[in-house]
């Protein structure tokens, strides 16, 4: 028994006063028992055993359906280390407040100790976390989302190097909800929410917020990126990592199905949300997906948008806040086929297509084991990970950004990532459709000052002889009629094809003030239905809009004051000069 772990668990039990303490081993038997308990408690409804074997449907508290950024805190000793990109609270004050919240909060409840490993077991890139929680729902979700249980404990051995995560549902009261991170001591305290991003502490809290700080200190990177391998008909596989803000289609791109024009190509999913990258001995960046499953947005998922996801959710999966049909199958808006005539909606009310309300919550989710994915990369469990040849940034921009462009070099690529912006979605509470700056799609997830984070990116680029080429894409550009100009989904392969060509030193491009843009005939549009005038619009750059963009980015960078690297200001000036 690890003495540091044992004494921490005892300390937490003394504080929270649970009825009993259960150490989770991650076994099948334990999972079966916990799921049965969740069914008995009414939290889980078993799904149709023929169509969704091992599947459960669950509804959350109606006020607990998304990440809550306004009550998420980063608590280093100095406020400037959290930066203007985070809510900060003095750690002494935060601890005092949390001690009060957690005091006796598990009375009459079971306290679960959940050991987990982020990354393949035995990988030098992996990290161990321990989550203590009073939610069995969290335990069974963590079992899907991470390598959970005894093997993680075995890997930890007697080491004290683990991320401490303490979670309680509390009373699920939005007024006392708080998700606090102490990056200096690698600790997370999460109170009052059972929602995935707030409660499955291995995911956003550890693998991004705490890990980004560890990456800064240990010269690696924790990024909000999917990892995708593309295998050519000749059998060569190139890996790309891509960062998009929440609910911009990362899971769909991670599970892309190449269109007919790309006969013989295969896509391999390594990860759909988080990427840890480290310099390898060959001077490239090597990446692992620290997660063990997918926690995807259900609405909009269909055979057209993501047929791989539609197939993988049929086994051992948990659905949260979707609707439930009369024959006990999950249902959501955007699914193929007609809606069910009668269903139970995400709030538990009877629903029909005439109800005039959404049956599934827009941020309803599926939790699915990675092994269910038929295109899961054979490298998913490889302790060394995969070499990344290209990094792709993207956002949801109706006008400014063209379909795709390539940065001039790593430093310019860092600037492209740092100036990312997107229209907000339902993955976090708040207004939907507002443009916000979301550098590297890390705004809600970077555990330290963004100025220092951009500095870390610049340093990482210098630490490798072959940094990935950096691109920016925008699947969401609209025409004058307000309609999307690009078909998206599997058709995005056409853009990835150009990216791969550029990486190989091929691919026709034109130098523009913002970067390299494909020549009109450089994209394979065979069978895409995209005509020449749409393509022209997709690749066009409106100099006036970009002058405004450069000004906005410059003003945004100024908010990071002395923490902003001079090289980033120089990039703004250089862009302005190129724009004339
Ligand atoms: C997610 C998110 O859940 O980014 O992945 O919000
Ligand atoms: Mn995400």
């Amino acid at each position: 028994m690890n003495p540091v772990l044992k004494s921490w668990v005892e300390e937490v039990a003394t504080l929270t006063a649970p009825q009993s303490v259960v150490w989770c081993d991650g076994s099948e038997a334990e999972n079966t028992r916990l799921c049965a308990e969740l069914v008995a408690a009414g939290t889980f409804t078993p799904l149709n055993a023929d169509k969704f074997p091992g599947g459960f449907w669950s509804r959350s508290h109606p006020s607990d359906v998304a990440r809550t950024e306004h009550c998420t805190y980063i608590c280093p000793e100095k406020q400037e280390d959290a930066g203007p990109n985070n809510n900060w609270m003095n750690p002494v004050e935060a601890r005092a407040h949390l001690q009060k919240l957690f005091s006796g909060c598990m009375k009459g409840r079971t306290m679960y100790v959940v050991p987990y490993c982020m990354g393949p077991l035995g990988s030098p890139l992996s990290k161990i976390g321990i989550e203590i929680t009073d939610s069995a729902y969290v335990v069974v979700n963590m079992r899907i989302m991470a390598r959970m249980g005894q093997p993680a404990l075995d890997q930890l051995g007697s080491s004290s190097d683990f991320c401490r995560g303490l979670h309680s549902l509390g009373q699920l009261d939005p007024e006392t909800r708080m998700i606090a991170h102490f990056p200096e001591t690698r600790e997370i305290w999460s109170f009052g929410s059972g929602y995935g991003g707030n409660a499955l502490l291995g995911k956003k809290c550890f693998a991004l917020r705490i890990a980004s700080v560890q990456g800064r200190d240990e010269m690696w990177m924790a990024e909000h990126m999917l990892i995708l391998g593309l295998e050519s008909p000749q059998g060569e596989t190139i890996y790309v990592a891509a960062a998009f803000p929440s609910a911009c289609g990362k899971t769909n791109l991670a599970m892309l199905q190449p269109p007919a024009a790309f006969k013989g190509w295969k896509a391999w999913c390594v990860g759909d949300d988080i990427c840890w990258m480290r310099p390898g001995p060959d001077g490239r960046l090597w990446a692992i997906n620290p997660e063990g499953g997918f926690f995807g947005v259900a609405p909009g998922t269909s055979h057209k948008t993501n047929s791989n996801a539609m197939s993988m959710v049929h086994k051992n999966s948990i659905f949260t806040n979707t609707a439930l049909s009369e024959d006990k199958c999950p249902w959501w808006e955007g699914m193929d086929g007609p809606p069910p005539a009668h269903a139970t909606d995400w709030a538990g009310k009877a629903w029909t297509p005439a109800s005039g309300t959404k049956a599934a919550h827009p941020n309803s989710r599926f939790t699915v084991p990675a092994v269910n994915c038929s295109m899961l990369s054979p490298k998913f469990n490889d302790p060394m990970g995969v070499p990344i040849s290209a990094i792709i940034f993207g956002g949801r921009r109706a006008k400014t950004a063209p379909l795709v462009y390539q940065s001039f070099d790593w430093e310019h690529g860092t600037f492209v990532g740092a100036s990312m912006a997107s229209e907000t979605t339902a993955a976090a509470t708040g207004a939907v459709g507002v443009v916000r700056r979301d550098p590297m799609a890390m705004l809600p997830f970077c555990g330290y000052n963004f100025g220092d984070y951009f500095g870390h990116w610049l340093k990482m680029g210098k630490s490798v002889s072959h940094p990935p080429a950096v691109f920016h894409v925008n699947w969401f550009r609209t025409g004058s009629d307000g309609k999307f100009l690009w078909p998206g989904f599997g058709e995005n392969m056409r853009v990835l094809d150009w990216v791969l060509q550029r990486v190989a030193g091929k691919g026709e491009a034109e130098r523009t003030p913002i970067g390299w843009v494909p020549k009109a005939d450089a994209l394979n549009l065979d069978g895409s239905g995209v005509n020449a005038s749409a393509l022209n619009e997709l690749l066009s750059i409106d100099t006036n809009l970009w002058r405004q963009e450069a000004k906005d980015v410059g003003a945004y960078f100024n908010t990071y004051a002395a923490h902003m690297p001079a090289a980033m200001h120089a990039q703004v000036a250089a862009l302005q000069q190129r724009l004339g």
Side-chain angles (χ1 to χ4, degrees):
M1 172 56 84
N2 182 315
V4 181
L5 174 57
K6 184 166 175 270
S7 76
W8 176 59
V9 170
E10 282 166 3
E11 194 186 303
V12 170
T14 305
L15 173 66
T16 60
Q19 188 172 40
S20 58
V21 178
V22 171
W23 287 72
C24 297
D25 61 14
S27 66
E28 190 73 49
E30 173 186 87
N31 188 58
T32 305
R33 176 173 58 77
L34 290 176
C35 289
E37 285 175 21
L38 284 160
V39 171
T43 310
F44 269 5
T45 300
L47 291 174
N48 185 312
D50 293 328
K51 294 181 181 153
F52 290 87
F56 295 95
W57 179 69
S58 166
R59 294 190 298 108
S60 72
H61 189 277
S63 72
D64 190 28
V65 292
R67 285 183 291 100
T68 39
E69 290 170 16
H70 60 283
C71 38
T72 300
Y73 293 86
I74 302 290
C75 310
E77 283 182 19
K78 287 197 269 173
Q79 178 164 14
E80 62 178 307
D81 287 340
N85 46 304
N86 283 303
N87 300 316
W88 175 79
M89 196 183 283
N90 174 311
V92 175
E93 197 186 311
R95 277 178 204 285
H97 182 69
L98 288 158
Q99 288 276 344
K100 269 192 237 142
L101 289 176
F102 276 88
S103 178
C105 72
M106 296 189 190
K107 266 189 200 129
R109 299 182 186 175
T110 303
M111 177 176 118
Y112 301 96
V113 181
V114 184
Y116 62 94
C117 177
M118 297 308 286
L121 287 161
S123 166
L125 288 83
S126 295
K127 296 265 179 202
I128 300 294
I130 309 283
E131 175 162 358
I132 297 180
T133 177
D134 56 9
S135 162
Y137 168 90
V138 164
V139 179
V140 298
N141 274 273
M142 279 297 284
R143 185 171 180 268
I144 296 176
M145 293 308 297
R147 281 88 168 170
M148 187 273 259
Q150 192 59 42
L153 215 46
D154 294 343
Q155 183 161 323
L156 179 65
S158 58
S159 168
S160 57
D161 182 12
F162 60 91
C163 175
R164 291 154 177 73
L166 174 51
H167 169 255
S168 173
L169 295 172
Q171 305 308 320
L172 292 175
D173 177 1
E175 294 301 314
T176 54
R177 189 166 295 159
M178 182 170 183
I179 299 100
H181 305 71
F182 299 87
E184 282 140 353
T185 50
R186 323 295 199 217
E187 266 175 283
I188 305 150
W189 293 59
S190 169
F191 189 83
S193 169
Y195 172 74
N198 295 334
L200 308 179
L201 301 186
K203 192 176 178 63
K204 303 300 189 178
C205 300
F206 179 17
L208 288 175
R209 298 194 190 103
I210 298 288
S212 59
V213 174
Q214 287 179 294
R216 176 198 65 190
D217 297 348
E218 299 165 5
M219 277 308 278
W220 54 281
M221 307 167 89
E223 300 297 334
H224 190 201
M225 292 178 180
L226 64 89
I227 309 167
L228 175 68
L230 293 162
E231 184 181 339
S232 70
Q234 292 73 40
E236 191 199 5
T237 307
I238 303 283
Y239 297 90
V240 303
F244 296 81
S246 306
C248 279
K250 276 221 316 290
T251 304
N252 295 342
L253 187 62
M255 293 176 195
L256 168 135
Q257 196 74 53
F262 290 82
K263 194 163 174 281
W265 283 82
K266 279 195 214 116
W268 299 105
C269 175
V270 183
D272 80 326
D273 196 42
I274 301 178
C275 165
W276 286 358
M277 276 183 289
R278 220 179 252 266
D282 60 354
R284 292 194 287 176
L285 286 178
W286 287 70
I288 57 163
N289 169 14
E291 300 197 277
F294 305 109
F295 182 65
V297 177
T301 307
S302 67
H303 283 287
K304 172 173 178 274
T305 62
N306 193 339
S307 64
N308 286 306
M310 289 307 281
S311 322
M312 76 180 183
V313 300
H314 283 273
K315 212 170 66 184
N316 302 334
S317 299
I318 300 166
F319 299 84
T320 305
N321 292 336
T322 64
L324 182 71
S325 68
E326 277 186 321
D327 65 342
K328 299 279 184 275
C329 293
W331 188 82
W332 50 79
E333 278 73 17
M335 198 189 258
D336 312 86
H342 298 275
T344 306
D345 72 7
W346 72 274
K349 292 206 240 7
W351 181 93
T352 74
S355 295
T357 54
K358 289 215 187 312
H361 187 276
N363 192 36
S364 53
R365 299 277 177 150
F366 48 74
T367 319
V368 180
V371 291
N372 283 16
C373 180
S374 62
M375 58 168 307
L376 189 70
S377 166
K379 300 274 186 192
F380 175 73
N381 277 314
D382 192 318
M384 295 319 296
V386 296
I388 300 297
S389 298
I391 287 176
I392 302 170
F393 294 118
R396 197 178 265 275
R397 294 301 295 272
K399 291 282 172 254
T400 321
L403 176 63
V404 58
Y405 64 100
Q406 181 184 6
S407 65
F408 298 121
D409 52 35
W410 179 266
E411 192 168 303
H412 179 234
T414 302
F415 165 76
V416 168
S419 40
M420 260 170 73
S422 193
E423 288 149 21
T424 53
T425 69
T429 41
V432 169
V434 178
V435 170
R436 75 167 180 177
R437 295 272 149 213
D438 191 351
M440 281 82 170
M442 282 287 278
L443 179 60
F445 307 121
C446 183
Y448 62 108
N449 190 311
F450 255 155
D452 299 334
Y453 169 78
F454 303 143
H456 180 60
W457 263 76
L458 296 174
K459 232 159 92 184
M460 288 302 306
K462 293 205 179 89
S463 79
V464 284
S465 52
H466 296 89
V470 183
F471 297 80
H472 186 282
V473 300
N474 177 21
W475 315 134
F476 301 95
R477 186 126 172 196
T478 54
S480 45
D481 57 1
K483 292 209 179 102
F484 291 124
L485 288 162
W486 182 249
F489 309 111
E491 306 296 327
N492 293 336
M493 178 67 200
R494 301 171 191 280
V495 171
L496 296 180
D497 175 47
W498 184 75
V499 165
L500 297 192
Q501 287 187 49
R502 293 293 293 168
V503 166
K506 296 179 279 189
E508 292 285 329
E510 204 164 314
R511 197 183 160 97
T512 77
I514 67 162
W516 295 98
V517 173
K519 290 206 167 136
D521 55 1
L523 296 177
N524 176 353
L525 293 181
D526 182 19
S528 69
V530 175
N531 63 29
S533 95
L535 182 68
N536 195 34
E537 214 173 329
L538 277 162
L539 298 179
S540 68
I541 291 159
D542 181 330
T543 311
N544 282 331
L545 276 181
W546 273 92
R547 284 198 191 102
Q548 186 57 46
E549 178 77 0
K551 218 165 127 189
D552 291 352
V553 170
Y556 177 68
F557 283 3
N558 284 337
T559 62
Y560 294 95
H563 286 262
M564 196 55 150
M568 290 290 98
H569 291 299
Q571 285 288 337
V572 179
L575 171 62
Q576 283 172 325
Q577 199 176 32
R578 291 193 300 268
L579 288 164

